[in-house]
Amino acid sequence: MEMHTLYTKSFLLPLFFLLLTSLISHSKACNVIDKEALLQFKNKITSDPSQLLNSWTLSTDCCKGWNGVTCDSTTGRVVSLTLSGTVDDGIDLPFDTYLSGTLSPYLGNLTNLKILSLIGLMQLNGPIPVEFNKLAKLEKLFLNDNKLSGDLPLEIGSLVSLLELGLSGNNFSGIIPSSIGSLKLLTSLDLKKNNLSGGVPESIGNLKNLGFLDLSGNKIGGKIPESIGGLKKLNTLDMMQNKIEGNVPVSIGGLSSLTFLRLSDNLLSGVLPSEIGNLKNLKNLNLQNNMLNGNLPASIGNLNGLRELSLGNNKFSGKIPATFGNLKDLQNVDFS
């Protein structure tokens, strides 16, 4: 019995390695168009002190050993391009680095791309090329913490497969295009710390799958659109440090999944609507540094899970409602 088992193992092991070798050798080579697009991206990089792109050479296969590049083994098409300003070589402690240069329009030719992540490269500058509108299969686009600038392209609405969009920590200006409302699958939208202006487009209400929305640290004005109340899956809404004015919309009571709401440091006025009491899952409510007035609604006592409440530097009047005593989980309160 032992001899039979030993024979079986000795037969199967070489067969396994033969199959593995066959699979590796038959993986598709890098698509010619994709390789050119990546090399054109490299050509637009003027400084690469940590040699992040050193492995990207004309004589090698971009699907085999190119830093940050992942291909589909069946088609040879590039499906992921991920480069970070934080380098971890597994030997020393992680360290910060950068890439200087601009985004090549040739990246728009990576039409099978699902992930494009160029986070924290710090010195990437210039606009988002309009050619990005060809990336119809893109699911995740992260360009956070660079020096990118210019308007958000209207064509961004063409990225209909997009699930997550992160453009925070750049120098983008102009308005948030209404075409953003075409990204019906979007679950996360992070535009914080830019120079965006104009208003929040009404079309934001089309993003029914949105769970995270951060527009803080911009120059956005106008009113909070009523359509925002339709975002039933929204968990986090942050619009602090803008120039948003007008009332807190009654429709905000429709954000039944909300746990974090921060509208501080704006120009909001009027009374706080009683519908705020519908946000039963809310844990953090920050409305400080506005011009809100009138009495606090008694419905605020419905926020049983509330832990932090910041209402300082407004023009509230009247008494603190007796229902305030229902907030058993409250840890921090600011009425200054």
Side-chain angles (χ1 to χ4, degrees):
M1 187 70 176
E2 289 182 5
M3 287 291 291
H4 176 72
T5 304
L6 189 63
Y7 173 77
T8 303
K9 286 182 177 178
S10 65
F11 174 76
L12 288 176
L13 277 173
L15 183 62
F16 170 75
F17 285 115
L18 184 65
L19 285 169
L20 186 62
T21 305
S22 176
L23 283 171
I24 293 171
S25 62
H26 283 86
S27 61
K28 200 84 169 177
C30 178
N31 179 273
V32 175
I33 294 173
D34 289 0
K35 184 174 183 177
E36 181 193 21
L38 293 171
L39 289 174
Q40 289 290 347
F41 170 72
K42 183 178 179 180
N43 286 341
K44 288 284 188 179
I45 300 302
T46 56
S47 180
D48 179 10
S50 299
Q51 299 184 335
L52 296 178
L53 306 181
N54 203 40
S55 57
W56 295 23
T57 62
L58 186 61
S59 60
T60 56
D61 187 337
C62 74
C63 293
K64 296 176 181 176
W66 280 31
N67 180 40
V69 178
T70 304
C71 296
D72 183 305
S73 60
T74 306
T75 63
R77 299 303 305 265
V78 174
V79 293
S80 175
L81 172 56
T82 305
L83 297 169
S84 171
T86 301
V87 178
D88 187 355
D89 58 10
I91 301 172
D92 300 313
L93 290 172
F95 61 93
D96 291 337
T97 188
Y98 67 89
L99 287 179
S100 290
T102 58
L103 296 175
S104 170
Y106 278 83
L107 287 176
N109 291 339
L110 300 174
T111 51
N112 278 52
L113 203 62
K114 292 184 176 180
I115 300 173
L116 177 56
S117 179
L118 304 173
I119 295 177
L121 294 167
M122 295 188 286
Q123 301 297 323
L124 280 182
N125 58 79
I128 296 176
V130 294
E131 288 79 4
F132 274 31
N133 70 340
K134 295 186 286 184
L135 303 178
K137 296 182 180 180
L138 199 63
E139 296 176 357
K140 298 181 180 182
L141 175 57
F142 301 124
L143 301 175
N144 314 59
D145 300 321
N146 288 292
K147 290 185 177 179
L148 298 170
S149 59
D151 294 348
L152 300 184
L154 294 173
E155 294 80 6
I156 203 163
S158 301
L159 306 181
V160 292
S161 299
L162 212 57
L163 301 175
E164 298 180 52
L165 176 58
L167 304 177
S168 63
N170 282 287
N171 297 316
F172 291 117
S173 56
I175 65 169
I176 300 172
S178 60
S179 59
I180 203 93
S182 300
L183 307 180
K184 303 289 180 65
L185 301 179
L186 206 62
T187 61
S188 177
L189 177 57
D190 186 0
L191 302 177
K192 68 175 177 285
K193 295 182 180 178
N194 280 287
N195 293 308
L196 297 170
S197 57
V200 180
E202 193 74 30
S203 62
I204 203 94
N206 297 338
L207 307 181
K208 304 298 185 184
N209 289 299
L210 205 60
F212 180 91
L213 175 58
D214 194 343
L215 305 177
S216 62
N218 281 285
K219 299 175 181 176
I220 297 168
K223 297 181 178 181
I224 299 173
E226 287 284 345
S227 64
I228 207 163
L231 305 182
K232 305 298 183 184
K233 296 182 180 180
L234 200 61
N235 179 271
T236 296
L237 175 57
D238 194 346
M239 294 184 177
M240 73 173 289
Q241 292 180 349
N242 279 289
K243 297 180 179 181
I244 298 170
E245 57 189 19
N247 298 338
V248 176
V250 169
S251 66
I252 206 160
L255 302 179
S256 52
S257 299
L258 209 62
T259 62
F260 183 95
L261 174 59
R262 183 161 61 179
L263 304 176
S264 57
D265 299 281
N266 278 289
L267 302 172
L268 293 168
S269 57
V271 299
L272 192 60
S274 61
E275 285 77 7
I276 201 82
N278 296 341
L279 308 181
K280 303 291 178 64
N281 293 306
L282 205 61
K283 298 187 185 307
N284 189 310
L285 174 59
N286 189 338
L287 302 175
Q288 67 185 16
N289 299 325
N290 280 287
M291 296 183 290
L292 296 167
N293 56 54
N295 296 339
L296 293 179
S299 63
I300 205 164
N302 297 338
L303 307 179
N304 296 320
L306 202 63
R307 295 177 183 173
E308 298 195 20
L309 176 62
S310 300
L311 301 176
N313 294 321
N314 278 287
K315 297 181 179 181
F316 291 119
S317 58
K319 296 180 178 180
I320 296 174
T323 55
F324 199 76
N326 298 338
L327 308 181
K328 306 295 185 184
D329 292 337
L330 205 57
Q331 297 172 3
N332 296 305
V333 184
D334 183 2
F335 284 154
S336 60

